[in-house]
Amino acid sequence: MQSKLVAGLSAAIVGLSLAATNALAHHGWAGQGTEDFTLKGTVEKGVSLSGPHATMQIKDEKGQVWDLTLAPPPRTKAAGLEEGVIPVGAEVTILGKRNLDMKKFEVKTERVTWNGRNFDVYPDRL
């Protein structure tokens, strides 16, 4: 009986820990600037639809790698931006809001442009 209680409590603690981790990973716009930020670069790491927000990475002309936080996966997918659509090494232009901490190379991205096509993951913010 006691082992079932311990196992149940352990499972509950793990579940709460995972929920807290996901809540921390999901962030709004408060940490971003208010000015539009445009950046050109090459895809370093393609779109990932795992996690609370889709992500990708690009490298700018100076060699700096930038983390791009996109919309939640269903919204990013609805914009036509899925894993494998834009190949690694492709040149893209992004539009979004840069992180307020200038030591962080992260942009909450509203639009990704590749090969003449706009992927508006946050069309209501453009």
Side-chain angles (χ1 to χ4, degrees), residues 36-77:
D36 285 341
F37 183 79
T38 302
L39 180 67
K40 289 184 180 186
T42 57
V43 175
E44 184 77 5
K45 186 175 180 185
V47 173
S48 170
L49 296 175
S50 63
H53 283 271
T55 59
M56 65 187 294
Q57 289 182 332
I58 64 172
K59 186 185 289 188
D60 68 18
E61 63 185 16
K62 296 177 184 174
Q64 178 62 55
V65 175
W66 291 77
D67 293 318
L68 306 183
T69 303
L70 305 167
R75 191 170 183 165
T76 299
K77 241 178 137 171

Side-chain angles (χ1 to χ4, degrees), residues 29 71-72 75 97 109-111 120-126:
W29 295 83
R75 191 170 183 165
K97 306 293 188 270
T109 306
E110 299 162 349
R111 170 182 284 162
D120 295 334
V121 298
Y122 282 107
D124 53 319
R125 296 190 64 92
L126 294 169

